[in-house]
Amino acid sequence: MSEPTQFRSESVTQMDKKLNKQKRSRRIFLQSGATLLLSVLVPKLSYAAQILAVRVWPAEEYTRVTLEGDVELNATQFIVKDPLRMVVDIEGLELNSTLKEIIAKIQSNDPYIKQVRVGQNRPNVVRLVFDLKEEINPQVFTLKPVGEYKYRLVFDLYPVNPVDPIAALIEKGQWLQDAPVATLGDESQQTMQPQPQLQAPQLQAPQAQAMPQPKLNPNPEQPLQTAPDLKNVPQLTRMITIALDPGHGGEDPGAIGRGGSREKDVVLSIAKRLKAKIETQPNMRVFLTRDADFFVPLNVRVEKARKVQADLFMSIHADAFIESSARGSSVFALSDKGASSTAARWLANKENSADLIGGVNIKNHDKQLASVLLDLSTTAQISDSLKLGSAILNEIGGINRLHKGSVEQAGFAVLKAPDIPSVLIETAFISNPEEEAKLTDENYQNQMADAILKGINRYFAKKPPLAKNRLT
C-alpha cells in the first residue's frame, strides 16, 4: 500500500530541515576555521592609546609633567649628559596634536626644563626629549583613574641637590636669626631705653621672671626711669615661626564652586595675604608649604613644617558639601580618639584623599609615611592645638558665620606633626554661592587674614612659646 501524500510531505520537510541544519553547521565550522587561520597568519593590530591632556607644573622644589590618557601608559626613561637631557619612550602611542601641546607648555622660567622635543620614534612609540637646566632625579609613576582624571603618567623632576628650606628663606632675606639671650648683670647698663609697642607678645625663656617695663617720662628734660636691679635674670626674645599650608594645588584643585572658583587658588591667595601681615610683626616669621600652584603630598607638608622648626602649623582650606546651603567657617584639630562628629570624620576622609587626586609615588610615599605620619602626636600637642583653634575661631566669628561654635576634631593626616600645635581652617564653603563670592573678594580675604593673625596673637598672649634649641 502506498504511503499517504500527507505523511510523505512531512517526511520531506523534516529531511530538508536536517539538511539545512547540517549546511549551516558546516558553514559556521568553515568560517571559524578561516578566522582561526587568519588570526595565526595575520598579526593582531594593537590599540593605540590616546593622549587626552598634557599638564606641566613648574616649581622651585620640582617640576611635574602629567600625560593623561584613555588607557594606562608604559614608559621608559634614561638620562643623557653633554648636553644634559632626559629621554622618555612611551609605548603603544601615536603622536597626536594634544601631545604636541607639551612643547608650548614649557615656560622659560621653569627651574629644570629648558625645552622639550617630541616625535614618533618608531611605530607605536613616541619619544620625548627634555633638555634640562641642571641635573635631576626623576620619579616616574602611573596613576589609576580617580575623580575627573583618567589614567595618568607622571614625571616628577627633582633636583639632585634639593635646597634646604631655611637656606632658601635666608637667601631671599625672609629669615632673621633668633635674638640672642641677654643676661643683665651690669648695673651700669640698667638704664632702659624706650621700646616700640609690639603687636605680638614679648617672649620669655622658661622660668624667667617677667622684666618690668619702665614708664616713659612725659617730660623730655628729665631722665628716663630706670629698671630695678635684675642681676642674673636671663631675658630672651626669639622669633616665632609660623608654617602656613595652603591646601591642595597643582593636579589637585580641591573643591570647585558653582562659579568656577577653585579651592587651591582661593586658599593660596588668603595664605599670601596672611603671610604679608605676619611679616609685619616684630617677632614673627612665616613659611609657606607651597607658594605657587603645585602639588605637595600631605606628609611632605608636615615634613616642611618640622624642617623649619615651626611653632605653629595652620592648613588653610575652603570647604564644600553636596548641599549648596551649607555655610560657615570652621576650625579643626587632630583627634586620637575618633572624630568629634560625623561631618568632621567625612571632611577628614575627604582631605586625606588629596594624595590620591594630586598623585604621589606610592613606593616613596609608603616609606615617608612610615617615618613621618606615625600617630606620635602627644596629648599636649592636641591640647595646644585646641587652644590655638579656639582663639582663631573666636576671631573668625567676627567676620563670618561659624559652621560650629567650637573646634572640631578628626584624624587629619596633615595635622600629625607630633611636636607642633596644628589646626586646619575651613575659611568658608566654596560650594555655597554666597560664600564663594566672599572667598574670591579681596576685602574678605584680608579680613580672614586679619582674624587669623589676631587669633595667633591671642594664643601666644596666653601661652608664650618656650625657648628651644634650634636644630642644626
Side-chain angles (χ1 to χ4, degrees), residues 170-184:
I170 292 175
E171 183 178 351
K172 295 177 182 178
Q174 298 176 351
W175 190 270
L176 300 176
Q177 297 297 323
D178 286 343
V181 176
T183 302
L184 303 180

Side-chain angles (χ1 to χ4, degrees), residues 312 314 330-333 383-398 402 405-407 423 425 448-463:
L312 297 181
M314 290 179 289
S330 306
V331 178
F332 296 84
S383 175
D384 288 343
S385 299
L386 289 170
K387 293 174 183 177
L388 172 64
S390 180
I392 293 173
L393 193 68
N394 287 337
E395 297 295 339
I396 292 178
L402 296 180
S406 60
V407 179
V423 295
I425 303 168
M448 179 60 64
D450 284 332
I452 295 173
L453 178 55
K454 289 178 181 177
I456 294 172
N457 281 329
R458 174 182 286 191
Y459 168 78
F460 280 126
K462 294 183 177 179
K463 189 177 177 59

Side-chain angles (χ1 to χ4, degrees), residues 277 395 399 441-452:
K277 294 177 185 297
E395 297 295 339
I399 66 165
D441 180 71
E442 291 185 3
N443 290 331
Y444 181 79
Q445 291 183 2
N446 278 321
Q447 289 175 351
M448 179 60 64
D450 284 332
I452 295 173

Side-chain angles (χ1 to χ4, degrees), residues 208-435:
Q209 298 178 9
M211 178 182 292
Q213 296 295 319
K215 296 182 180 180
L216 299 183
N217 194 330
N219 187 348
E221 296 181 358
Q222 303 221 353
L224 294 171
Q225 179 181 355
T226 59
D229 187 4
L230 296 173
K231 283 186 178 181
N232 301 322
V233 178
Q235 179 73 12
L236 171 67
T237 298
R238 73 169 177 86
M239 299 294 290
I240 301 173
T241 304
I242 311 293
L244 299 181
D245 174 49
H248 309 281
E251 288 285 290
D252 177 18
I256 300 177
R258 289 189 175 184
S261 304
R262 301 180 301 185
E263 180 180 6
K264 67 174 183 177
D265 300 327
V266 168
V267 297
L268 179 59
S269 180
I270 293 174
K272 286 184 174 180
R273 294 177 189 277
L274 177 55
K275 177 179 183 289
K277 294 177 185 297
I278 291 175
E279 289 173 338
T280 66
Q281 306 297 294
N283 63 328
M284 290 187 184
R285 58 192 171 201
V286 63
F287 171 79
L288 292 177
T289 59
R290 71 175 180 95
D291 57 3
D293 187 12
F294 63 96
F295 176 71
V296 183
L298 296 175
N299 63 296
V300 176
R301 297 170 189 262
V302 177
E303 283 181 337
K304 287 184 172 186
R306 299 191 73 194
K307 282 183 179 179
V308 299
Q309 301 162 56
D311 295 289
L312 297 181
F313 177 89
M314 290 179 289
S315 192
I316 302 174
H317 293 256
D319 210 348
F321 194 63
I322 54 176
E323 297 291 340
S324 62
S325 58
R327 60 182 300 170
S329 302
S330 306
V331 178
F332 296 84
L334 183 67
S335 172
D336 58 354
K337 299 178 181 178
S340 57
S341 68
T342 302
R345 182 183 303 108
W346 177 85
L347 180 63
N349 291 337
K350 182 173 74 71
E351 298 295 356
N352 290 347
S353 68
D355 281 356
L356 297 176
I357 303 295
V360 296
N361 189 341
I362 296 300
K363 294 180 180 179
N364 289 346
H365 188 245
D366 288 345
K367 295 178 182 178
Q368 292 167 338
L369 282 175
S371 62
V372 177
L373 290 187
L374 294 175
D375 196 7
L376 299 176
S377 298
T378 64
T379 302
Q381 187 263 13
I382 294 177
S383 175
D384 288 343
S385 299
L386 289 170
K387 293 174 183 177
L388 172 64
S390 180
I392 293 173
L393 193 68
N394 287 337
E395 297 295 339
I396 292 178
I399 66 165
N400 192 37
R401 173 180 175 179
L402 296 180
H403 187 66
K404 192 169 183 179
S406 60
V407 179
E408 295 202 72
Q409 294 180 261
F412 293 90
V414 79
L415 301 182
K416 289 189 176 181
D419 47 0
I420 307 173
S422 305
V423 295
L424 186 144
I425 303 168
E426 293 287 358
T427 53
F429 276 85
I430 201 170
S431 55
N432 181 300
E434 181 181 343
E435 293 203 335

Side-chain angles (χ1 to χ4, degrees), residues 181-197:
V181 176
T183 302
L184 303 180
D186 188 351
E187 293 184 3
S188 64
Q189 298 179 0
Q190 290 178 7
T191 300
M192 302 294 292
Q193 297 298 321
Q195 300 294 323
Q197 183 66 33

